[in-house]
Amino acid sequence: MREVNISEKISKVAYIPIAIIAAILMVIPVYILFMTSFAVPSDILKPHPDFFITRFTLDHWRSVLASGNLWPPFRKSFVVATITTIIAIVMAAPAAYVIARMPSKIKYPVVLSLFFTRMFPDVGIALPIAVQFIRLNLMDTYLGLVMAHLIVNLPFAAWILVGTFETIPKDLEEAALVDGTSKLTALSKIIMPIALPGIAVTAIFVWLNSWNEFTYALYLTISDRTLPLQIYYYVQRGGIFDSATYAAILTIPVMLVTFFLQKYMKSGYLAGAVKG
Amino acid sequence: MSYVNFVKKYKLEIAMILPLLLYILGFTIYPIIQTITLSFQDQYTKAFTLANYREIIGKTEFKQAFFNTIALTFISLTLEMTVGLVIALILRRNFRGKGLLRSLMLVPMGVPTLVSGVAMTYIFGLYGYFNALLQKLHIIEMPVDWASGGFKTLLMVSVADMWKVTPMVILLLSAGLESIPDEVYEASNIDGATAWQTFKYVTLPLLKPSITMALILRAIDAFRIFELVLVLAGRATPVISTFAYDEYRNYANVHTSAAASTILLLIIAVFIVSYLKIAGTKEER
């Protein structure tokens, strides 16, 4: 009987405090990260670091922005993410359309295989790729990294886009075909415009995946680092303020986009997309 | 329909899907076959051998890595599923400020995994916020070195992993909860069931398929854990992927690295097959 009473109480009253505490705990690490990037070193580098800082400084941001160590990795990450996105969409969108229109007996296994190609361990794929790229002189190149990022993002993009194309009724293109339009025109004039919002959301997710990507970049880089590798470099060197500032720079676009695209964050999109 | 006719009729469709298929074949399937092949090759003669497996299994680091990977998966999954389920149940209710709380709880999704690791180093550092808090509460006297290895490091990495992926678990379980019809709850309410009874006899059994799926998907991700461990635990607490990376980068041994990756691949394959089995039986029902 006692257990029952407690459960009643929890379900009637305690859930709001629990929710508030959980929400606070979810935000604290992000707060600490950004706060550290604006903190005066003597407030942080002590046995009991301040949680609420009263003094702010732009020194870390200024020194990172002026150091010349930010822009080359930033440019590499930005350019690689952008090219990866363009190629991924151009290759995945037509394929996804075809898959979406397959008879469901074939479609189900195809979609499932796409899903599971993303489940393979990155270290297992990156290893032979790195060995190959050393031979082909593709280490440290933008092209090499784009090719590697496509490994993760092509099945990801195709998988999401199959869902997008499935929502477009088949009658639309059939009507167009009856009117004598060619398949290709029906596709480009009727289907693609309707699918455009879905394609745009997919493109953004692909861009973020590539922007954040760490494992392949680590395997395929000797000296020309990406932004995530630059963060790792400062973490290894123990530069708290440098790593906090670089991490903040990497995080800002991701947070903004994730916040605005929250309604697209359906469970299906993300299952297996977030790696440990 | 003959083969030629099939190609003729669907030539546009084939042209549309072929680049994707070829890329996956060339850049995913082929590398995996290469990794498996490398793992059975002698370092010098390239002849077939089991020596690479013998070598890594003989290493203490690999045994540790293997144990750590399984322990980490077990601890993180327990934490994530428990917390995720509680929050998903709370978010099923309607209350003021729910939208804001939900947004705040999804914040970790907007943080790259690497960055979540960086933030956790500030919290779990020797002079980090967590030690400072424990000292203020007089739970500990001296600061704890969370990254020094052993169970406490596993716990730290699990908490970091939990922080990053609980939002995803919440979304997966919320989707499952949404699919439970309201009538079921009304019925249990009319029958006078308490909140605990409703949870135990109504919600939990109906949610079981979602929980199983979430568990398997999360287990696959947890087995592949890489950058969090690299940033938080360094080499003191290896997992299978960081061991594979270490063999390649620091010992320049492609073959032992491939052997470790193949073992990881095998574990993940077991989970994929069990996922397919469960998904398959669900469909037959």
Side-chain angles (χ1 to χ4, degrees):
Chain A
M1 206 50 210
R2 208 176 137 252
E3 187 187 53
V4 169
N5 286 337
I6 290 171
S7 80
E8 287 297 318
K9 254 181 208 151
I10 290 176
S11 85
K12 289 226 169 71
V13 186
Y15 69 94
I16 289 184
I18 293 174
I20 292 172
I21 291 169
I24 292 172
L25 288 177
M26 290 303 198
V27 178
I28 281 179
V30 181
Y31 163 75
I32 289 178
L33 182 84
F34 280 89
M35 179 268 282
T36 305
S37 76
F38 292 108
V40 177
S42 58
D43 288 346
I44 299 291
L45 300 172
K46 55 183 186 181
H48 290 249
D50 291 346
F51 186 75
F52 296 107
I53 51 169
T54 46
R55 295 181 292 168
F56 294 89
T57 173
L58 288 172
D59 285 358
H60 316 306
W61 282 81
R62 238 181 251 130
S63 82
V64 164
L65 290 174
S67 68
N69 294 331
L70 171 67
W71 296 114
F74 188 95
R75 194 186 314 120
K76 185 171 182 181
S77 285
F78 190 91
V79 173
V80 166
T82 309
I83 300 176
T84 302
T85 306
I86 295 169
I87 300 179
I89 295 298
V90 168
M91 278 171 78
Y97 169 77
V98 174
I99 296 169
R101 291 292 184 259
M102 282 174 172
S104 54
K105 234 184 182 171
I106 313 173
K107 185 166 71 181
Y108 184 66
V110 171
V111 171
L112 216 55
S113 342
L114 278 181
F115 184 63
F116 283 120
T117 42
R118 302 204 337 263
M119 297 286 170
F120 294 132
D122 290 339
V123 287
I125 305 175
L127 174 79
I129 301 259
V131 173
Q132 209 70 259
F133 278 14
I134 292 172
R135 245 177 257 154
L136 299 170
N137 254 332
L138 282 169
M139 295 298 268
D140 275 337
T141 61
Y142 286 23
L143 175 68
L145 201 54
V146 167
M147 284 160 79
H149 284 180
L150 284 174
I151 296 172
V152 193
N153 283 305
L154 272 179
F156 173 73
W159 193 63
I160 297 184
L161 285 172
V162 169
T164 306
F165 286 120
E166 272 178 335
T167 59
I168 300 173
K170 224 176 168 178
D171 315 359
L172 269 176
E173 59 207 85
E174 273 161 8
L177 289 179
V178 170
D179 290 348
T181 333
S182 78
K183 257 188 198 172
L184 212 56
T185 329
L187 260 181
S188 58
K189 291 269 161 67
I190 297 166
I191 304 299
M192 286 303 166
I194 303 175
L196 209 58
I199 293 177
V201 172
T202 313
I204 293 169
F205 280 128
V206 170
W207 195 90
L208 290 180
N209 278 347
S210 172
W211 172 254
N212 291 334
E213 205 284 327
F214 181 72
T215 312
Y216 285 100
L218 189 65
Y219 270 82
L220 302 178
T221 303
I222 299 164
S223 57
D224 203 357
R225 288 189 284 264
T226 61
L227 206 48
L229 291 181
Q230 191 76 346
I231 296 171
Y232 182 52
Y233 171 76
Y234 282 108
V235 169
Q236 281 181 309
R237 282 191 17 176
I240 288 189
F241 299 101
D242 280 322
S243 61
T245 311
Y246 277 103
I249 294 170
L250 185 79
T251 308
I252 289 168
V254 188
M255 287 210 87
L256 286 177
V257 170
T258 321
F259 182 77
F260 287 114
L261 293 186
Q262 228 182 58
K263 64 171 174 163
Y264 294 101
M265 292 270 183
K266 297 277 161 53
S267 55
Y269 278 151
L270 292 144
V274 186
K275 281 167 289 157
Chain B
M1 193 172 14
S2 81
Y3 177 72
V4 180
N5 281 339
F6 179 85
V7 173
K8 251 188 197 159
K9 186 175 175 205
Y10 290 109
K11 60 177 186 290
L12 181 66
E13 281 82 354
I14 292 172
M16 281 163 77
I17 202 171
L18 210 56
L20 179 78
L21 284 183
L22 290 178
Y23 204 92
I24 292 176
L25 274 179
F27 283 87
T28 306
I29 308 297
Y30 180 62
I32 284 174
I33 294 170
Q34 268 184 314
T35 298
I36 298 171
T37 316
L38 281 170
S39 75
F40 289 109
Q41 264 177 0
D42 185 88
Q43 210 177 333
Y44 306 103
T45 62
K46 309 288 170 214
F48 174 86
T49 176
L50 288 173
N52 301 312
Y53 288 94
R54 240 175 271 135
E55 187 184 333
I56 62 167
I57 289 168
K59 277 191 171 182
T60 344
E61 288 92 348
F62 182 75
K63 280 181 215 146
Q64 274 177 355
F66 192 82
F67 169 77
N68 288 341
T69 308
I70 291 177
L72 259 182
T73 305
F74 187 75
I75 304 171
S76 331
L77 256 64
T78 312
L79 292 174
E80 287 153 25
M81 296 307 289
T82 316
V83 174
L85 183 59
V86 169
I87 296 177
L89 284 170
I90 290 174
L91 289 179
R92 200 183 178 275
R93 295 154 171 272
N94 284 316
F95 54 90
R96 264 184 63 195
K98 175 182 155 179
L100 175 70
L101 285 180
R102 187 178 180 275
S103 294
L104 290 178
M105 283 184 210
L106 297 186
V107 159
M109 284 187 129
V111 178
T113 310
L114 176 73
V115 174
S116 71
V118 174
M120 292 297 166
T121 60
Y122 307 149
I123 294 173
F124 289 104
L126 196 55
Y127 298 121
Y129 293 93
F130 191 57
N131 275 340
L133 177 75
L134 290 180
Q135 281 172 316
K136 247 179 220 157
L137 297 174
H138 298 288
I139 295 170
I140 54 167
E141 293 271 312
M142 299 296 289
V144 177
D145 188 359
W146 294 95
S148 63
F151 181 69
K152 53 181 185 290
T153 307
L154 291 177
L155 203 61
M156 167 181 72
V157 177
S158 300
V159 168
D161 188 53
M162 166 173 111
W163 182 78
K164 171 69 190 146
V165 302
T166 298
M168 204 186 91
V169 177
I170 295 173
L171 289 183
L172 284 168
L173 295 181
S174 294
L177 284 174
E178 270 169 35
S179 69
I180 301 175
D182 287 332
E183 290 84 23
V184 181
Y185 288 105
E186 281 160 24
S188 97
N189 207 9
I190 290 166
D191 290 344
T194 64
W196 175 249
Q197 285 167 333
T198 309
F199 172 73
K200 198 175 164 193
Y201 298 112
V202 178
T203 313
L204 211 51
L206 287 173
L207 200 58
K208 215 181 131 203
S210 304
I211 294 177
T212 317
M213 291 299 162
L215 267 177
I216 293 176
L217 292 176
R218 278 300 313 142
I220 293 172
D221 279 347
F223 274 113
R224 299 187 299 174
I225 191 166
F226 183 66
E227 55 252 67
L228 262 187
V229 177
L230 214 56
V231 169
L232 281 172
R235 285 161 100 179
T237 306
V239 287
I240 301 179
S241 357
T242 59
F243 176 87
Y245 172 70
D246 218 28
E247 286 293 306
Y248 168 65
R249 201 27 82 83
N250 297 319
Y251 298 106
N253 194 336
V254 176
H255 299 278
T256 47
S257 174
S261 293
T262 307
I263 292 175
L264 188 58
L265 198 67
L266 198 71
I267 300 175
I268 289 174
V270 170
F271 275 89
I272 292 181
V273 170
S274 55
Y275 179 96
L276 289 177
K277 276 239 166 93
I278 293 167
T281 49
K282 208 176 109 192
E283 213 165 80
E284 278 160 26
R285 245 180 253 157

